[in-house]
Amino acid sequence: MYAEHYAQVIQYVWGYVGARSYLLQGDLQTVAQNIPRLRLDGPGIYSLWLKSSFHENKYVPTYVGFTSRPIQTRLGEHARFGKIGELYSGLPDGAATTGGIGVLALELPTPMARAMESVFLEAFDFAQNTADNLMSRALRPWTVDADLSEDAPMPESAGDIEAFNDLLTAISDQLEALQDLQTKLMQLKG
């Protein structure tokens, strides 16, 4: 499933688990200068979104990642020589961003962030994630964007509900497994 086809579902799940959205408007230099103001000082999971409409807050997901360092540090690296810079220089199909990016982020301990990232990457093919693609791929045409300035609507179509349920179940399973592991390790320690 291409992530850009499920923008609202992915946004809904991020909101459901407590992530916050950040809209970084302007050119690459302005975006890079505003990243330190995000105050994302802990490790966690984040997703990068391409602004798909110049006059509206419409975005599609292009990348998901986790970091054991402060999220804002990692985003700064993406702006200098990573995925944010790639969005501004143009995706492989030649499409360039239209004046900004969106970031969904949630500060979490690294193991939880890593588990959540694996769930998203298992369920969706994000255009800029290269683990499965070997290189960034062109975005596939999509019909629905997500408005990151508002809460996402609850999924209503059968496909969206199925994608939501698959993600939620996978996240719950991952978190439960981590909690079980922690309990067992604490028993061994004690």
Side-chain angles (χ1 to χ4, degrees):
M1 292 190 297
Y2 295 120
E4 58 269 27
H5 294 174
Y6 295 93
Q8 289 183 351
V9 173
I10 294 169
Q11 180 195 13
Y12 184 83
V13 171
W14 278 84
Y16 187 84
V17 298
R20 296 184 58 189
S21 65
Y22 304 89
L23 306 180
L24 300 169
Q25 307 296 326
D27 61 18
L28 180 57
Q29 182 179 1
T30 303
V31 166
Q33 290 171 346
N34 286 326
I35 287 173
R37 296 184 185 122
L38 299 181
R39 303 232 187 268
L40 292 165
D41 300 322
I45 185 170
Y46 60 94
S47 181
L48 302 177
W49 295 60
L50 170 69
K51 187 171 185 186
S52 58
S53 173
F54 187 74
H55 297 292
E56 299 179 50
N57 290 320
K58 301 292 186 177
Y59 296 82
V60 293
T62 65
Y63 181 82
V64 63
F66 80 93
T67 181
S68 58
R69 297 173 292 134
I71 294 171
Q72 70 187 33
T73 299
R74 185 68 183 113
L75 292 174
E77 293 169 354
H78 278 302
R80 285 190 306 277
F81 47 81
K83 299 304 180 181
I84 294 173
E86 186 178 305
L87 285 173
Y88 274 88
S89 64
L91 292 168
D93 65 353
T97 189
T98 55
I101 62 158
V103 176
L104 295 179
L106 180 61
E107 291 180 278
L108 289 171
T110 301
M112 292 175 72
R114 183 177 291 168
M116 285 182 65
E117 179 203 40
S118 70
V119 168
F120 281 105
L121 291 176
E122 183 66 30
F124 297 104
D125 177 0
F126 288 82
Q128 289 185 289
N129 282 92
T130 56
D132 294 324
N133 304 336
L134 300 179
M135 59 185 275
S136 296
R137 66 166 173 79
L139 290 170
R140 304 289 190 242
W142 67 90
T143 57
V144 178
D145 311 83
D147 185 343
L148 296 184
S149 67
E150 298 179 357
D151 290 338
M154 185 165 198
E156 293 180 357
S157 73
D160 286 354
I161 290 170
E162 182 179 351
F164 172 76
N165 287 335
D166 289 349
L167 273 170
L168 192 59
T169 298
I171 289 170
S172 296
D173 290 347
Q174 288 277 355
L175 293 176
E176 185 178 324
L178 286 171
Q179 289 172 339
D180 289 346
L181 179 60
Q182 180 186 18
T183 300
K184 289 179 182 181
L185 291 173
M186 294 303 284
Q187 289 172 347
L188 285 173
K189 183 180 175 184

